[in-house]
């Protein structure tokens, strides 16, 4: 009976995500998410420009760079390196809603935005996405000076930002990037983890309370980790559960200030609160923006919530670190 239930849950999870597992272990992904091309020349006054740049040819990874309109050459702007959500298995930096979100960041913060198209699981299981994140951070540190679009970028004010699984990437990339900083020229000034995606074998209260959540029901959560984690791992692997420490867990206390957001109707909210307590216990300065109202990824469904998130990010970036 348990095996039958598990098979039904897995089938429902695949159907919910609109994916098909192929015999070779790869996925056939839905074609329901429209893509947006870059906008390398102004389509209208005040429009955000964007262009694609190859990151690692061997891995077929790339970045999309966003330049705010009419940057003032006498005023430097921060750089946001952005990692999208998608459960490690879906979407692209070119996905329309991701593209639009990066345009909004570039325009309203304002900032230069580097959106990373990292490799997807299960074809490329973790830590592939973390490795691609490090490639992007190195590109900003070492190569952006050669790009005329970055003429007024302040590389000493770089921020890593991610939503859901992208927030997970922010955390693990930041731990690995401790040795990559070269102040005062290049510095990761803060981390922005919007509804970060973490897991664990033992169910939390919010996971049980929201087991049939319309966005992230438990079978979907379990399937995402099953497809993303290294073969044979469970949800208490260090890539999923930050409470277990792991190979770079001793670097947590060296992380810069963090903005962590979450919503009370997100099954992941208890893990996000636990994550914040862990960071604060290691001496990391954390700004929390937890709202009891709202579901996972609500900023994509609710324009007001999306604008609220932008204001949180703008305030965090403009604040002086303590």
């Amino acid at each position: 009976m348990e095996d039958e239930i598990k098979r039904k849950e897995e089938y429902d999870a695949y159907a919910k995500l609109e994916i098909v597992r192929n015999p070779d272990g790869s996925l056939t992904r839905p074609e329901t998410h429209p893509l947006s091309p870059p906008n390398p020349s102004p389509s209208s006054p005040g429009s955000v420009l964007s262009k694609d740049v190859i990151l690692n040819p061997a891995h077929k990874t790339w970045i999309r760079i966003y330049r705010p309109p009419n940057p003032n050459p006498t005023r430097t702007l921060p750089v946001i390196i952005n990692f999208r959500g998608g459960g490690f298995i879906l979407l692209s930096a070119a996905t329309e809603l991701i593209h639009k979100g990066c345009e909004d960041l570039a325009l309203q913060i304002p900032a230069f935005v580097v959106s990373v198209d990292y490799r997807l699981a299960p074809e490329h299981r973790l830590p592939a996405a973390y490795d691609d994140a490090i490639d992007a951070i190195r590109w900003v540190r070492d190569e952006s000076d050669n790009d005329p679009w970055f003429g007024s970028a302040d590389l000493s004010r770089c921020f890593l930002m991610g939503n859901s699984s992208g927030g997970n990437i922010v955390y693990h990339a930041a731990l690995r990037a401790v040795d990559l900083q070269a102040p005062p020229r290049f510095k990761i000034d803060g981390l922005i983890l919007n509804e970060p995606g973490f897991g664990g074998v033992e169910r939390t209260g919010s996971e049980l309370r929201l087991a049939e959540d319309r966005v992230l029901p438990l079978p979907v959560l379990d399937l995402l980790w099953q497809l993303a984690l290294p073969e044979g791992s469970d949800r208490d692997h260090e890539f999923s559960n930050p409470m277990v420490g792991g190979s770079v867990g001793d670097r947590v206390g060296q992380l810069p200030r963090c903005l962590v957001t979450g919503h009370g109707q997100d099954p992941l909210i208890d893990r996000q609160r636990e994550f914040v307590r862990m960071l604060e216990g290691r001496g990391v300065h954390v700004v929390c923006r937890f709202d009891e109202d709202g579901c996972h990824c609500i900023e994509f469904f609710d324009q007001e919530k999306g604008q609220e998130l932008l204001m949180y990010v703008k305030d965090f970036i403009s604040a002086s670190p303590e």
Side-chain angles (χ1 to χ4, degrees), residues 126-139:
L126 297 175
Y130 306 153
D131 295 339
D132 298 342
I134 293 299
D135 281 349
I137 293 168
R138 284 199 177 102
W139 187 92

Side-chain angles (χ1 to χ4, degrees), residues 3-45:
D3 288 344
E4 181 179 344
I5 292 173
K6 186 173 187 297
R7 284 195 298 272
K8 182 178 186 300
E9 287 182 343
E10 289 185 351
Y11 171 81
D12 289 344
Y14 277 100
K16 171 73 174 176
L17 294 169
E18 300 180 303
I19 57 175
V20 176
R21 187 76 179 266
N22 301 317
D24 64 358
S26 66
L27 294 182
T28 297
R29 295 173 172 83
E31 299 180 359
T32 55
H33 303 291
L35 303 179
S36 292
N39 176 32
S41 58
S43 55
S44 62

Side-chain angles (χ1 to χ4, degrees), residues 44-164:
S44 62
S47 61
V48 173
L49 301 184
S50 56
K51 67 176 180 177
D52 294 343
V53 174
I54 296 297
L55 184 61
N56 187 324
H59 294 159
K60 299 180 180 179
T61 54
W62 51 276
I63 53 178
R64 179 165 290 183
I65 302 168
Y66 296 81
R67 178 183 177 179
N70 307 315
N72 187 336
T74 65
R75 178 191 174 198
T76 59
L77 297 177
V79 177
I80 299 173
I81 305 175
N82 185 69
F83 305 97
R84 70 188 183 279
F88 303 106
I89 71 165
L90 293 172
L91 306 182
S92 156
T95 300
E96 187 177 81
L97 59 86
I98 306 298
H99 176 77
K100 177 62 167 59
C102 289
E103 285 187 325
D104 289 344
L105 278 173
L107 182 64
Q108 295 194 43
I109 299 302
F112 292 89
V113 178
V114 176
S115 183
V116 184
D117 198 70
Y118 53 84
R119 288 170 291 172
L120 296 176
E123 295 88 347
H124 305 282
R125 292 175 177 269
L126 297 175
Y130 306 153
D131 295 339
D132 298 342
I134 293 299
D135 281 349
I137 293 168
R138 284 199 177 102
W139 187 92
V140 171
R141 184 193 66 179
D142 300 334
E143 302 296 333
S144 62
D145 280 346
N146 301 321
D147 192 311
W149 274 27
F150 282 82
S152 55
D154 184 354
L155 298 187
S156 70
R157 297 174 61 216
C158 286
F159 295 83
L160 307 186
M161 178 173 176
N163 162 259
S164 191

Side-chain angles (χ1 to χ4, degrees), residues 116-236:
V116 184
D117 198 70
Y118 53 84
R119 288 170 291 172
L120 296 176
E123 295 88 347
H124 305 282
R125 292 175 177 269
L126 297 175
Y130 306 153
D131 295 339
D132 298 342
I134 293 299
D135 281 349
I137 293 168
R138 284 199 177 102
W139 187 92
V140 171
R141 184 193 66 179
D142 300 334
E143 302 296 333
S144 62
D145 280 346
N146 301 321
D147 192 311
W149 274 27
F150 282 82
S152 55
D154 184 354
L155 298 187
S156 70
R157 297 174 61 216
C158 286
F159 295 83
L160 307 186
M161 178 173 176
N163 162 259
S164 191
S165 55
N168 175 295
I169 295 172
V170 165
Y171 173 66
H172 287 283
L175 291 175
R176 287 156 175 75
V178 166
D179 296 333
L180 296 182
Q181 303 198 62
R185 179 186 166 275
F186 175 78
K187 180 184 177 185
I188 298 174
D189 198 30
L191 311 180
I192 302 164
L193 304 99
N194 177 36
E195 307 164 334
F198 298 115
V201 170
E202 185 176 350
R203 300 296 191 194
T204 65
S206 60
E207 287 173 346
L208 294 173
R209 175 170 56 88
L210 298 164
E212 298 181 1
D213 179 65
R214 66 184 181 90
V215 178
L216 278 180
L218 281 185
V220 167
L221 274 173
D222 292 350
L223 178 60
L224 291 173
W225 287 120
Q226 177 188 324
L227 294 173
L229 290 170
E231 292 275 10
S233 302
D234 64 23
R235 295 189 306 276
D236 278 338

Side-chain angles (χ1 to χ4, degrees), residues 195 205-206 209-210 213 260-273 277 288-296 298 302 305 308 312:
E195 307 164 334
S206 60
R209 175 170 56 88
L210 298 164
D213 179 65
V260 183
T261 71
H263 296 90
Q265 300 309 305
D266 182 348
L268 302 180
I269 187 65
D270 284 355
R271 296 197 185 278
Q272 293 157 3
R273 293 186 188 278
R277 290 193 293 270
C288 292
R289 291 290 183 265
F290 289 134
D291 186 347
E292 289 308 313
D293 181 36
C295 63
H296 192 71
I298 191 171
D302 184 319
K305 289 290 187 183
E308 185 177 77
Y312 291 157

